[in-house]
Structure formats: C-alpha cells, structure tokens
Amino acid sequence: MSRRILIFALVMFVSACGLTGPRSMDNEGADSFEEDVRTARSLSEEFWKQQFSQLGRVYLPINAFIPYSGGSGPNCGGAPAAPNNAFYCSAGHFIAYDQTWMESLWSEMGDGSVYVIIPHEFGHAVQAQLQAGFQLNVQAELQADCYAGGTLAALVRSGALTAEPGDENELITSLEAAGDPTDDWLNPSAHGTAEQRQQSFLLGYSRGVTAC
C-alpha cells in the first residue's frame, strides 16, 4: 500500500467517527501536556483491563509510570534509559518516558503524539503479560503499533476520546517521525519503517486489537 493511499485510508477511518470536540482528544477538555499524559495512561489501562476480562484473564497494572529528563531515567535490567525515548521495562513492569522530549512532540505535533506513544508502550506491557514470543524486535514493535491503533480506535468509538479535524495528521506525523530510515528487520533495535508502522497502526485502528 502506498503512503498516499495509507494516509487517505487513515483519514477516512478517523473522519468516519463523525466526532468533533475541543482542541484535545480528551473529551474532558484537557489542555495541558500533563493532563493528556494522565488521560492516555488511565484510558489505556482501563481498555486492557476490559480486554483481559473478556478473555477470562486478569490484567496486571504496571507498577510505575515514570517521567524522566535526558539521561536521568531509571535503569531497566541494568540498561540505562536513553534520552528522547519512551519504553516499557519488563524487568520492573513499568513504563518510563523522557518528559521533556515527549512534551516537545506534544507542542510541535499536537496531543495525538501522546495518544500514540503511550498506548504503544502499554502494548509492550500487554505482550509481556501474554508472553508473546518474537524472533525479531521489529515484530514486537509493529504489533505494539497495531495495539496502539486498536486501543485508540476503541476509545474514540466509546466516546472516551474525541477525534477532530487535524488529529489524523498528528497520528500520521507521529508514526512517520518514529520510522526507521531503512527496512533492516535483522537490526535488533529495528522498529519498522514509517510506512510499516503506519500500516500496523491502521490495521489495529480499522480492525481492533484482535487483528494484531
């Protein structure tokens, strides 16, 4: 699927919700970075609690949600936190994020970036609980993108979040900026190209997390 077609498709899926609202996707009208982060976290966890419950399983909430700045983040299994990053740590079952970096994305791209990054990291927390096994890192990353799309779509459909004109562009821009420059699946740090990440997100957004 070409990038132009992919973008058009995502625009159609988001616009089809027919929802308009305040500047923020948060239907409570959150207008600060901190409020959007809190909303993205709480709604993502509530969504997965419901998903696990429907499967007869119990979702284990993350132990901590840790903001940091630059190189001051928490270690994960002995590995230091990297600046300009957000990550899930299975060793401590926590999510950490470079607050300065993510807030700059929020300011430059809009709140859609928060509602992609945080559900993506919760996708990794879900993978850990489901004991998903992947031979390649890129497979786990693309599934987490798919989970993020499915989470966001479910929250929009339920009315927990609103989608307004421009939100779809924020989502596309967030994913494009995070794509790998080359399609090197054997690279242990590969996350997928911009188009691959957008396609995975769209799969979840259009068909739900069960399609991931």
Side-chain angles (χ1 to χ4, degrees):
M1 182 182 293
S2 72
R3 180 173 175 274
R4 179 174 295 180
I5 294 174
L6 179 66
I7 291 175
F8 176 78
L10 184 55
V11 168
M12 290 299 99
F13 277 119
V14 175
S15 300
C17 297
L19 298 174
T20 58
R23 174 189 168 281
S24 173
M25 293 186 73
D26 178 1
N27 67 0
E28 297 298 323
D31 58 2
S32 73
F33 168 74
E34 291 79 9
E35 289 172 326
D36 277 320
V37 168
R38 285 195 297 269
T39 298
R41 175 195 176 173
S42 62
L43 291 181
S44 294
E45 286 220 290
E46 183 58 35
F47 169 76
W48 282 111
K49 287 178 185 177
Q50 294 176 8
Q51 291 296 304
F52 273 58
S53 178
Q54 291 172 10
L55 295 174
R57 303 184 61 159
V58 177
Y59 171 79
L60 180 63
I62 58 173
N63 292 328
F65 192 66
I66 306 171
Y68 66 92
S69 181
S72 65
N75 287 346
C76 176
N84 302 328
N85 191 33
F87 64 94
Y88 165 73
C89 177
S90 59
H93 191 47
F94 67 81
I95 290 173
Y97 61 96
D98 185 331
Q99 181 170 330
T100 303
W101 165 72
M102 198 154 74
E103 187 167 9
S104 70
L105 296 179
W106 183 87
S107 298
E108 295 168 9
M109 300 182 187
D111 64 340
S113 58
V114 170
Y115 291 101
V116 170
I117 294 171
I118 292 177
H120 173 95
E121 299 308 331
F122 273 101
H124 287 310
V126 168
Q127 289 170 342
Q129 294 189 51
L130 295 178
Q131 297 182 326
F134 297 98
Q135 293 183 327
L136 302 173
N137 184 69
V138 69
Q139 294 173 312
E141 295 299 335
L142 292 178
Q143 185 185 60
D145 286 333
C146 185
Y147 279 161
T151 300
L152 184 58
L155 295 175
V156 170
R157 284 195 300 269
S158 71
L161 294 177
T162 60
E164 61 181 345
D167 283 341
E168 65 275 1
N169 292 328
E170 292 177 17
L171 302 176
I172 285 293
T173 301
S174 297
L175 290 164
E176 183 175 12
D180 294 336
T182 61
D183 186 11
D184 183 5
W185 279 52
L186 297 181
N187 186 329
S189 63
H191 282 55
T193 65
E195 185 168 334
Q196 288 167 345
R197 300 198 67 176
Q198 290 166 340
Q199 286 176 333
S200 294
F201 182 90
L202 176 60
L203 174 64
Y205 198 96
S206 60
R207 296 174 55 187
V209 294
T210 56
C212 301

